[in-house]
Amino acid sequence: QVQLVESGGGLVQAGGSLRLSCAASGRTFSDYAMGWFRQAPGKEREFVAAIARSGITTYTDSVKGRFTISRDNAKNTMYLQMNSLKPEDTAVYYCAARKYATLTTSTSAYDNWGQGTQVTVSS
């Protein structure tokens, strides 16, 4: 198991930016495929972005060109840079990890989750 802790959420106006961090501990971070998911009130948790052990990335269509996922294996940390934020980006954002996985966008594929961080974008 790896322990994940998100930070960096907050309240921002539409058009603004935030950077989320996901700090991992307990195991070799570089062995894990990582992902960001979000859940808005009354909705299911949805995929946002993922990064493979190799550094290859993928994004859901609604955030392409606005969000950037990255990882720093030396710091055991994953990031999500969010620019040009929109009110519809408002949600609790979760980071997730799965050991030795290939790049995956499926919620059920991940078996390690953080507690989430709230992102609120006002119009």
Side-chain angles (χ1 to χ4, degrees):
Q1 290 281 18
V2 61
Q3 290 76 47
L4 304 173
V5 178
E6 302 96 335
S7 62
L11 173 64
V12 64
Q13 289 188 331
S17 298
L18 284 174
R19 188 175 83 153
L20 305 183
S21 298
C22 173
S25 61
R27 290 293 184 268
T28 305
F29 181 69
S30 59
D31 286 344
Y32 287 81
M34 303 292 296
W36 286 100
F37 292 78
R38 65 187 179 187
Q39 188 166 18
K43 295 187 177 181
E44 292 187 353
R45 192 169 298 187
E46 65 174 4
F47 168 75
V48 176
I51 185 165
R53 291 177 287 153
S54 63
I56 295 173
T57 61
T58 188
Y59 301 88
T60 193
D61 286 346
S62 63
V63 309
K64 284 180 181 177
R66 301 189 297 123
F67 291 10
T68 303
I69 188 172
S70 61
R71 65 191 297 163
D72 185 337
N73 290 338
K75 294 183 178 180
N76 289 356
T77 303
M78 174 180 66
Y79 305 96
L80 186 68
Q81 178 66 44
M82 306 187 294
N83 299 328
S84 302
L85 282 161
K86 304 175 181 180
E88 52 263 44
D89 295 318
T90 295
V92 177
Y93 283 70
Y94 298 89
C95 69
R98 183 175 178 91
K99 194 172 185 180
Y100 300 138
T102 57
L103 197 63
T104 180
T105 65
S106 171
T107 305
S108 61
Y110 291 89
D111 52 8
N112 297 275
W113 292 86
Q115 82 291 348
T117 186
Q118 176 70 48
V119 171
T120 303
V121 184
S122 63
S123 57

